[in-house]
Amino acid sequence: MPLKTVTLYASELTATAPAGAAAVCQASFSAISCLGLTKANGTIIFEAKCDVPAYLDSSKDNQVEITSSGGPDTNEWGVPWMGTINLTTSYAEYSMSLANALTAGGELNPTGINFFRMYGFIKTGTATLYVRNVRLRYMPKPYGGLTVQIP
């Protein structure tokens, strides 16, 4: 089976925060089914930038998250991104495996993904985080992972 790519949210999200706070880009949307998505076979892909990347705090737990609860911290998979990707002042595409995703508030339901969030803590000054074109890529299991018995 070929890899499947599903767009979660295409529009631009922006968030500005001062030192000590997090710039939080987030969006709720109608539930999207990614039947067969697992942490082992999934990748989250997005475009992002920051107007002053040097102001991002690398000592904090900055994450990219997806949920099936319509909001943060419940039925969530989150992937820490600081140190894995290096944002610049221009949009670039980033791809992060879900293999090391952290679970918060119970497991994500892959057939009902309806929330995305990316945040970065600011260590000094004020900075703006930008995110767009959020997608998931995964290898669907044949028959949606169901066991099929042929008589």
Side-chain angles (χ1 to χ4, degrees):
M1 277 190 122
L3 286 173
K4 184 170 185 174
T5 301
V6 175
T7 298
L8 298 181
Y9 197 83
S11 298
E12 183 178 69
L13 300 166
T14 65
T16 301
V24 182
C25 295
Q26 63 185 24
S28 296
F29 40 87
S30 297
I32 296 171
S33 179
C34 294
L35 184 64
L37 172 71
T38 66
K39 287 181 181 179
N41 72 9
T43 301
I44 190 163
I45 304 160
F46 55 92
E47 297 170 13
K49 67 179 182 175
C50 181
D51 66 340
V52 191
Y55 288 2
L56 292 167
D57 191 343
S58 62
S59 71
K60 299 290 185 182
D61 181 31
N62 302 307
Q63 290 194 31
V64 173
E65 303 167 342
I66 54 174
T67 80
S68 56
S69 65
D73 304 326
T74 303
N75 305 117
E76 174 184 283
W77 289 350
V79 182
W81 60 266
M82 203 69 185
T84 304
I85 63 172
N86 294 307
L87 296 182
T88 66
T89 57
S90 298
Y91 268 114
E93 183 175 274
Y94 301 98
S95 177
M96 299 179 66
S97 171
L98 295 175
N100 296 318
L102 308 170
T103 299
E107 284 297 328
L108 172 95
N109 173 0
T111 63
I113 298 169
N114 58 5
F115 183 81
F116 166 82
R117 175 168 79 162
M118 179 178 183
Y119 59 86
F121 284 90
I122 310 303
K123 66 181 172 187
T124 187
T126 298
T128 302
L129 185 63
Y130 302 82
V131 185
R132 67 183 183 196
N133 201 14
V134 181
R135 293 155 285 151
L136 288 172
R137 182 170 293 146
Y138 61 102
M139 177 67 72
K141 296 176 183 176
Y143 309 107
L146 301 173
T147 302
V148 177
Q149 294 181 343
I150 300 172

